Amino acid sequence: MSEDFKQRLKDYEDGKLSDEEKMEVEREIEKLEEYQTYVNELMDQADADNNKRAHTTSKPSGLSPKKEKRIVRRGKWKARFSNTLTVLSAFLAISIISSILTALFYGMGDPSRNDKYRDAIASAISISHPNIDVSLNSQGKVFFMQEVYGDMKKRVGDDRVTVGEYSVNFLFGLPSVKEDWNGLSTRNSQVFQRPDGKSEASAPSNAKNGSDQQSAKESKAASTAKSGDWSRLKKLPEGTVAEAYVSFNRFFSTDELLKEFENLDMEAIWFAVDTGPDKRFGGNDGIISDPVGFPAMPVWHHDDLTVTSYGEEKRGWFGKVKFSGGHYPPLEAYGDGELRNEHFMKSLRLLQKYELIANRVAPFIDIDASLAYVEQHGIQLYGAVVTGPVKELLALREVSWVQDLRVGEVRLWNWSE
């Protein structure tokens, strides 16, 4: 509305206009009233259309309650599927990242952490499990887990016999051990008898003193009554080979004991080392059920290898394979006692560094106390695991320095004469 028209309305109200001007203003007012009526009709029509549209949206025509439920159910499943895909994608991404980090954690270094762990496990098995050999393999997993595993095998005659499965699972370097023995394994036979004070002073095998020989025979007779395995060995068929745990009535040096077996038709494959009377469990009777010792063929450490060739090959983005060639120290079959002793001491010191592995793999052996005793008293052998023909093992009953014998695994003839 213009200012001129507003002034004319004011003059019309005050009676200042002429008759002609009044009639013109009244005609303008009538036009305004018609405009207002038309605008009101348009607004009423617009409101009616909006209400109709809102009613149509809130109540869809032609949809039954069953269809409505189906639509809602479909929407829920779509949401669930979307959430599941999100979770799986996140889990897959985390798994891939953790696998890479796990490989780096166990594979870094030279030697790698994985190689060091395998070395420690093999050393712990060799000193605490008589006549048990495990060819260890390793497998990386996710979330910083690693498995080291292998078959437990024994030497019986000329064959290596599988007696169970062995595995060590690591989580951030923390080990857990699982031993799964076969039902036929004779683990209860893995017992030695330590010489007492009187037996330690007894004469060696070439003694000619009749009283010493009589004392040795009496000692053997007493041990036979305890174990009864001589009679069991006698009942075995001649065409068989066996594993036997032989206890001596005196202590031997490594070289001395190897010479004793040089002319016997059997093979010593594991030696029991004296670590003093085990008083931790109240055992003062000289029976050693958890012996400490070393195999005749050492389980060499990674740094015992004299490397003559070396190479690396990349595998994938982050991996690489190292390969090397070389040789370990040579050993005389019935000699090199000093080298064997040094390797045994080296294994004990290695296990001191890997205390967690030692405590899991050899839980009943005190590594620190054993090493301290051997360093003070030297390496003295009081028993051995031997294998050979049954008739040859039975002949040990007549050997003056043999105190006791326990029969282990028995197999059909497989001996090379």
Side-chain angles (χ1 to χ4, degrees), residues 46 60 78 153 167 175 253 372 377 404 413:
K78 285 184 179 179
K153 295 186 177 183
S167 64
S253 68
H377 297 89
D404 191 17
W413 185 268

mmCIF file of all heavy atoms in Angstrom, residues 46 60 78 153 167 175 253 372 377 404 413:
data_model
loop_
_atom_site.group_PDB
_atom_site.id
_atom_site.type_symbol
_atom_site.label_atom_id
_atom_site.label_comp_id
_atom_site.label_asym_id
_atom_site.label_seq_id
_atom_site.Cartn_x
_atom_site.Cartn_y
_atom_site.Cartn_z
ATOM 1 N N ALA A 46 -5.433 -24.642 -0.017
ATOM 2 C CA ALA A 46 -4.088 -25.178 0.231
ATOM 3 C C ALA A 46 -4.048 -26.003 1.511
ATOM 4 O O ALA A 46 -3.428 -27.069 1.566
ATOM 5 C CB ALA A 46 -3.083 -24.030 0.292
ATOM 6 N N PRO A 60 -0.991 -45.568 4.183
ATOM 7 C CA PRO A 60 -0.875 -45.951 2.784
ATOM 8 C C PRO A 60 -2.042 -46.816 2.370
ATOM 9 O O PRO A 60 -2.359 -47.801 3.023
ATOM 10 C CB PRO A 60 0.440 -46.748 2.736
ATOM 11 C CG PRO A 60 1.151 -46.429 4.003
ATOM 12 C CD PRO A 60 0.104 -46.087 4.989
ATOM 13 N N LYS A 78 18.254 -56.205 6.857
ATOM 14 C CA LYS A 78 19.241 -55.390 6.158
ATOM 15 C C LYS A 78 20.189 -54.718 7.140
ATOM 16 O O LYS A 78 21.407 -54.649 6.913
ATOM 17 C CB LYS A 78 18.534 -54.339 5.300
ATOM 18 C CG LYS A 78 17.903 -54.902 4.029
ATOM 19 C CD LYS A 78 17.311 -53.781 3.193
ATOM 20 C CE LYS A 78 16.697 -54.322 1.891
ATOM 21 N NZ LYS A 78 16.104 -53.232 1.082
ATOM 22 N N LYS A 153 59.894 -88.891 19.895
ATOM 23 C CA LYS A 153 60.379 -90.179 19.422
ATOM 24 C C LYS A 153 61.457 -90.721 20.352
ATOM 25 O O LYS A 153 62.209 -89.963 20.963
ATOM 26 C CB LYS A 153 60.925 -90.052 18.002
ATOM 27 C CG LYS A 153 59.846 -89.690 16.982
ATOM 28 C CD LYS A 153 60.380 -89.724 15.568
ATOM 29 C CE LYS A 153 59.251 -89.436 14.568
ATOM 30 N NZ LYS A 153 59.720 -89.525 13.165
ATOM 31 N N SER A 167 53.938 -80.062 22.128
ATOM 32 C CA SER A 167 53.689 -78.728 21.593
ATOM 33 C C SER A 167 53.876 -77.683 22.688
ATOM 34 O O SER A 167 53.585 -77.937 23.861
ATOM 35 C CB SER A 167 52.274 -78.620 21.003
ATOM 36 O OG SER A 167 51.295 -78.799 22.012
ATOM 37 N N PRO A 175 55.089 -69.219 27.502
ATOM 38 C CA PRO A 175 54.858 -70.563 26.968
ATOM 39 C C PRO A 175 53.857 -71.370 27.798
ATOM 40 O O PRO A 175 53.722 -71.195 29.006
ATOM 41 C CB PRO A 175 56.246 -71.196 27.055
ATOM 42 C CG PRO A 175 56.855 -70.550 28.265
ATOM 43 C CD PRO A 175 56.284 -69.149 28.348
ATOM 44 N N SER A 253 83.131 -90.980 34.835
ATOM 45 C CA SER A 253 83.309 -89.822 33.970
ATOM 46 C C SER A 253 82.725 -90.175 32.599
ATOM 47 O O SER A 253 82.491 -91.347 32.288
ATOM 48 C CB SER A 253 84.795 -89.471 33.835
ATOM 49 O OG SER A 253 85.474 -90.486 33.114
ATOM 50 N N ALA A 372 74.919 -75.292 39.627
ATOM 51 C CA ALA A 372 75.848 -75.002 40.721
ATOM 52 C C ALA A 372 76.516 -76.272 41.230
ATOM 53 O O ALA A 372 77.731 -76.292 41.507
ATOM 54 C CB ALA A 372 75.099 -74.308 41.857
ATOM 55 N N HIS A 377 81.222 -79.997 41.624
ATOM 56 C CA HIS A 377 81.643 -81.390 41.752
ATOM 57 C C HIS A 377 82.070 -82.021 40.430
ATOM 58 O O HIS A 377 82.574 -83.156 40.420
ATOM 59 C CB HIS A 377 80.523 -82.232 42.361
ATOM 60 C CG HIS A 377 80.144 -81.828 43.745
ATOM 61 N ND1 HIS A 377 79.180 -80.868 44.002
ATOM 62 C CD2 HIS A 377 80.600 -82.240 44.962
ATOM 63 C CE1 HIS A 377 79.043 -80.721 45.308
ATOM 64 N NE2 HIS A 377 79.892 -81.541 45.917
ATOM 65 N N ASP A 404 71.038 -101.578 38.797
ATOM 66 C CA ASP A 404 69.606 -101.773 38.590
ATOM 67 C C ASP A 404 69.288 -101.595 37.114
ATOM 68 O O ASP A 404 70.039 -100.937 36.379
ATOM 69 C CB ASP A 404 68.807 -100.772 39.438
ATOM 70 C CG ASP A 404 67.318 -101.101 39.474
ATOM 71 O OD1 ASP A 404 66.955 -102.245 39.139
ATOM 72 O OD2 ASP A 404 66.524 -100.204 39.815
ATOM 73 N N TRP A 413 62.732 -107.387 16.380
ATOM 74 C CA TRP A 413 64.139 -107.262 16.008
ATOM 75 C C TRP A 413 64.351 -106.244 14.891
ATOM 76 O O TRP A 413 63.721 -106.304 13.842
ATOM 77 C CB TRP A 413 64.660 -108.626 15.558
ATOM 78 C CG TRP A 413 66.128 -108.611 15.269
ATOM 79 C CD1 TRP A 413 66.740 -108.390 14.087
ATOM 80 C CD2 TRP A 413 67.177 -108.826 16.208
ATOM 81 N NE1 TRP A 413 68.100 -108.447 14.206
ATOM 82 C CE2 TRP A 413 68.410 -108.709 15.513
ATOM 83 C CE3 TRP A 413 67.216 -109.077 17.589
ATOM 84 C CZ2 TRP A 413 69.639 -108.867 16.134
ATOM 85 C CZ3 TRP A 413 68.432 -109.235 18.205
ATOM 86 C CH2 TRP A 413 69.640 -109.126 17.484
#
